[in-house]
């Protein structure tokens, strides 16, 4: 297979060949040397590691060598030889160099010195060229591949759910509206309300907050499905954990009860983290060294421990008995904050925790109600450092109960008629969960801000690039 007439640096660094002609192409990270010899560190994105190109100054045009600066793009033809310096097994002795694109040292923003992550967000169109973002983006790819492989190997079907929807899956209300109406001249009906009959879809529509409701329809036909796509939340949340556009993985399984759902979630997370440890170690070692010295240990911690199953009510009792003064007070009926979740995982159990049977008033309308009339069959998987990584539940399969809950919450039956109908015709027990892809990546990379694990973050007042 052609690689654009080159050998990837990742392959050269592993190669057993010596004194063979090779062509390498990439971007200059650094150039140093003296009047006799120039050393150029070249990177093509295939690995965190650079390859060293050694150029005999006397053999090259002085003007050409001047163009080789940090950020410039080169083609180098030469010999692959044992490296004399430590740090890399091989280097390339340059015989011919072509400069594809120069990078003026006066204006190129990515110079050799370290840059803050805040600064790199301002130049997100260039940050993939840094070691840090190269590593993050390669891990992001590996995790996306592993997700598809995991479900495919277990007989799940990948279902594409719509991005444009007429329903609000979470009842959260923070949705982006999709319209073709002229905002300078919005049509009104006789009551003075917006006349959506003139809009593209003839009704009010939004970008989806979740593929779950449609995913349930797929599971009630194909038994096991998963979605993996972008979702949108118009929350004005400027935190290191929130994005307005992020990716979600949502499996949905017919005939799964809460226990089956928990087992799948634990197995799935362990598989993904094991995949990262087995396939991304160079990048993980770099991130472990530069950003988060506990990263690799924490990944192993999750893979090597059984997840604790804990009832919400017991969890509240543990928090109350801890004597710890939390920023958010704890009482039965409150939604747990990440400080509470982390206490249970990091200090009390010292293991990942799956918290189940939450109060129904703090959970979504579609969750299966327990016989106590107070709780639902929800489950949240809690991890060290980040708190909740997965949220899911067994779904309410009983038409009467689901209908009553929708009425109780004052939700629109008109927009949910099709969802309620699935409980009228061949309803079945079923369960599912949602994993925020970027939350997973925060955990696997050790990065501290969710804006640094997606190529182009979308946050309040920011839709650049």
């Amino acid at each position: 297979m052609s690689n654009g007439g080159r050998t990837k640096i990742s392959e050269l660094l592993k190669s057993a060949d010596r004194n063979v002609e090779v062509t390498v192409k990439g971007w200059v990270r650094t150039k140093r040397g003296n009047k006799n010899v120039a050393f150029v560190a070249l990177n093509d994105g295939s690995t965190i590691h650079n390859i060293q190109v050694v150029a005999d100054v006397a053999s090259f045009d002085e003007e050409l060598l001047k163009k080789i600066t940090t950020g410039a793009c080169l083609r180098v033809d030469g010999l692959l030889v044992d490296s004399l310096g430590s740090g890399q097994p091989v280097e390339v002795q340059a015989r011919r160099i072509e400069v594809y694109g120069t990078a003026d040292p006066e204006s190129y923003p990515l110079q050799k010195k370290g840059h803050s992550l805040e600064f790199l967000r301002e130049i997100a169109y260039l940050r993939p060229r840094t070691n840090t973002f190269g590593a993050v983006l390669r891990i992001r790819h590996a995790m996306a591949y592993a997700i598809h492989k995991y479900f495919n190997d277990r007989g799940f079907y990948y279902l594409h759910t719509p991005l444009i929807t007429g329903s609000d899956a979470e009842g959260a209300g923070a949705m982006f509206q999709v319209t073709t109406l002229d905002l300078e001249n919005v049509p009104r009906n006789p009551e003075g309300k917006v006349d959506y009959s003139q809009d593209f879809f003839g009704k009010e529509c939004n970008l989806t907050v979740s593929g779950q409701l449609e995913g349930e329809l797929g599971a009630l036909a194909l038994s096991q499905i998963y979605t993996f796509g972008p979702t949108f939340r118009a929350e004005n949340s400027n935190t290191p954990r929130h994005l307005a556009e992020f990716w979600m993985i949502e499996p949905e399984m017919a005939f799964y009860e809460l226990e089956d759902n928990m087992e799948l979630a634990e197995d799935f997370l362990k598989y993904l983290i094991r995949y990262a440890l087995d396939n991304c170690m160079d990048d993980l070692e770099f991130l472990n060294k530069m950003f988060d010295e506990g990263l690799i240990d924490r990944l192993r911690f999750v893979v090597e421990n059984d997840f604790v199953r804990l009832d919400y009510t017991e969890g509240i009792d543990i928090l109350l008995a801890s004597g710890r003064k939390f920023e958010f007070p704890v009482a039965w009926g409150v939604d747990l904050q990440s400080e509470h979740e982390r206490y249970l995982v990091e200090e009390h159990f010292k293991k990942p925790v799956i918290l189940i049977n939450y109060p129904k008033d703090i959970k979504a309308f579609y969750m299966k109600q327990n016989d106590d009339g107070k709780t639902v069959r929800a489950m949240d998987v809690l991890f060290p450092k980040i708190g909740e990584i997965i949220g899911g539940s067994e779904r309410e399969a009983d038409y009467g109960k689901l209908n009553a809950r929708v009425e109780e919450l004052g939700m629109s039956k008109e927009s949910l008629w099709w969802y309620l109908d699935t409980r009228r015709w061949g309803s079945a027990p079923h369960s599912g969960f949602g994993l925020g892809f970027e939350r997973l990546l925060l955990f696997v990379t050790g990065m501290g801000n969710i804006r640094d694990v997606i190529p182009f973050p979308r946050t309040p007042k920011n839709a650049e690039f």
Side-chain angles (χ1 to χ4, degrees):
M1 189 185 95
S2 169
N3 274 321
R6 68 187 172 112
T7 306
K8 288 182 182 173
I9 291 171
S10 57
E11 291 164 20
L12 288 178
L13 292 175
K14 288 192 283 222
S15 173
D17 295 334
R18 296 295 182 269
N19 303 312
V20 292
E21 293 276 346
V22 295
T23 299
V24 60
K25 302 178 182 182
W27 291 266
V28 176
R29 288 290 166 81
T30 58
K31 176 179 146 198
R32 58 186 177 81
N34 52 41
K35 58 180 191 297
N36 299 320
V37 63
F39 298 99
V40 178
L42 209 61
N43 188 284
D44 65 2
S46 62
T47 166
I48 191 86
H49 303 296
N50 306 323
I51 197 158
Q52 179 164 282
V53 173
V54 184
D56 180 1
V57 169
S59 310
F60 290 92
D61 176 46
E62 195 182 338
E63 287 305 306
L64 176 80
L65 293 178
K66 271 189 197 157
K67 290 178 183 169
I68 300 174
T69 59
T70 297
C73 186
L74 310 182
R75 168 191 173 136
V76 178
D77 300 286
L79 275 188
L80 187 69
V81 298
D82 280 315
S83 179
L84 300 175
S86 62
Q88 68 273 331
V90 290
E91 60 191 25
V92 176
Q93 281 179 353
R95 292 190 166 171
R96 179 177 167 275
I97 297 175
E98 180 183 348
V99 177
Y100 281 147
T102 58
D104 177 3
E106 298 300 311
S107 57
Y108 182 59
L110 286 178
Q111 290 304 325
K112 193 185 166 189
K113 66 178 182 18
H115 296 289
S116 75
L117 294 171
E118 289 76 19
F119 170 71
L120 293 175
R121 273 173 227 140
E122 291 168 18
I123 55 162
Y125 69 110
L126 287 174
R127 69 181 185 169
R129 293 199 202 177
T130 62
N131 282 335
T132 301
F133 286 93
V136 167
L137 293 174
R138 282 186 294 272
I139 291 170
R140 188 179 168 103
H141 159 79
M143 291 295 89
Y145 172 76
I147 285 161
H148 286 302
K149 180 168 171 52
Y150 178 86
F151 286 122
N152 180 70
D153 291 354
R154 284 154 187 77
F156 282 65
Y157 298 106
Y158 181 29
L159 187 75
H160 296 115
T161 55
L163 296 187
I164 299 173
T165 170
S167 57
D168 179 351
E170 297 297 323
M175 302 177 82
F176 288 102
Q177 204 167 333
V178 175
T179 182
T180 56
L181 294 177
D182 177 0
L183 298 185
E184 301 289 334
N185 185 21
V186 177
R188 305 269 171 190
N189 61 21
E191 289 89 67
K193 298 224 167 79
V194 176
D195 183 3
Y196 285 107
S197 69
Q198 295 189 43
D199 207 347
F200 187 90
F201 293 107
K203 63 189 243 185
E204 202 174 337
C205 281
N206 303 293
L207 292 178
T208 186
V209 296
S210 161
Q212 180 201 313
L213 301 189
E214 292 90 350
E216 286 184 52
L217 313 187
L220 292 172
L222 301 172
S223 292
Q224 295 176 318
I225 64 92
Y226 70 104
T227 74
F228 183 4
T231 51
F232 307 86
R233 305 270 164 103
E235 287 170 30
N236 194 9
S237 298
N238 262 311
T239 82
R241 291 164 53 100
H242 286 87
L243 291 165
E245 175 184 301
F246 57 98
W247 288 62
M248 282 273 279
I249 300 100
E250 297 176 298
E252 197 70 37
M253 297 74 60
F255 320 119
Y256 271 50
E257 295 182 20
L258 184 61
E259 188 58 46
D260 308 303
N261 205 21
M262 289 194 277
E263 281 175 26
L264 182 75
E266 177 170 347
D267 189 62
F268 177 51
L269 286 167
K270 285 181 170 172
Y271 176 93
L272 296 179
I273 291 164
R274 206 174 291 116
Y275 189 92
L277 288 166
D278 291 346
N279 295 278
C280 307
M281 193 45 97
D282 282 356
D283 290 320
L284 291 174
E285 281 172 348
F286 172 82
L287 293 167
N288 195 91
K289 187 173 85 184
M290 301 301 288
F291 288 97
D292 181 353
E293 286 174 357
L295 174 61
I296 291 172
D297 287 345
R298 204 160 48 246
L299 297 178
R300 292 196 170 121
F301 165 89
V302 167
V303 170
E304 290 162 8
N305 277 294
D306 289 336
F307 295 9
V308 174
R309 314 302 206 244
L310 180 70
D311 208 279
Y312 168 91
T313 302
E314 279 177 68
I316 292 291
D317 291 344
I318 290 167
L319 292 167
L320 288 171
S322 71
R324 176 68 60 91
K325 190 155 172 39
F326 293 106
E327 186 188 339
F328 294 91
V330 176
W332 198 95
V334 303
D335 208 355
L336 295 189
Q337 301 296 322
S338 114
E339 56 170 342
H340 309 135
E341 296 165 343
R342 290 182 61 180
Y343 175 83
L344 292 170
V345 172
E346 294 167 25
E347 299 188 46
H348 188 82
F349 289 104
K350 298 190 166 49
K351 287 181 177 185
V353 171
I354 308 182
L355 206 56
I356 57 171
N357 297 325
Y358 278 77
K360 75 172 185 182
D361 291 341
I362 58 172
K363 287 295 182 185
F365 76 96
Y366 48 70
M367 296 190 178
K368 184 175 177 65
Q369 296 174 39
N370 282 316
D371 295 339
D372 62 12
K374 293 192 306 184
T375 60
V376 289
R377 289 197 189 176
M379 62 160 211
D380 284 354
V381 182
L382 314 180
F383 264 21
K385 201 171 180 198
I386 62 170
E388 183 204 330
I389 192 164
I390 274 180
S393 70
E394 186 173 339
R395 316 309 190 190
E396 183 54 75
D398 181 284
Y399 177 78
K401 285 185 181 170
L402 187 64
N403 209 27
R405 188 76 181 123
V406 168
E407 280 175 6
E408 198 180 323
L409 292 169
M411 295 175 72
S412 158
K413 278 198 196 170
E414 285 70 51
S415 66
L416 286 170
W417 63 271
W418 49 273
Y419 182 72
L420 291 164
D421 263 5
T422 57
R423 274 62 173 178
R424 292 170 57 199
W425 296 314
S427 187
H430 62 288
S431 301
F433 60 78
L435 169 63
F437 189 41
E438 285 74 22
R439 290 264 174 101
L440 170 74
L441 288 165
L442 274 181
F443 185 76
V444 174
T445 62
M447 298 300 280
N449 192 315
I450 202 159
R451 297 165 200 206
D452 297 329
V453 295
I454 192 167
F456 304 103
R458 296 289 175 254
T459 53
K461 305 285 183 278
N462 177 46
E464 203 60 67
F465 314 113

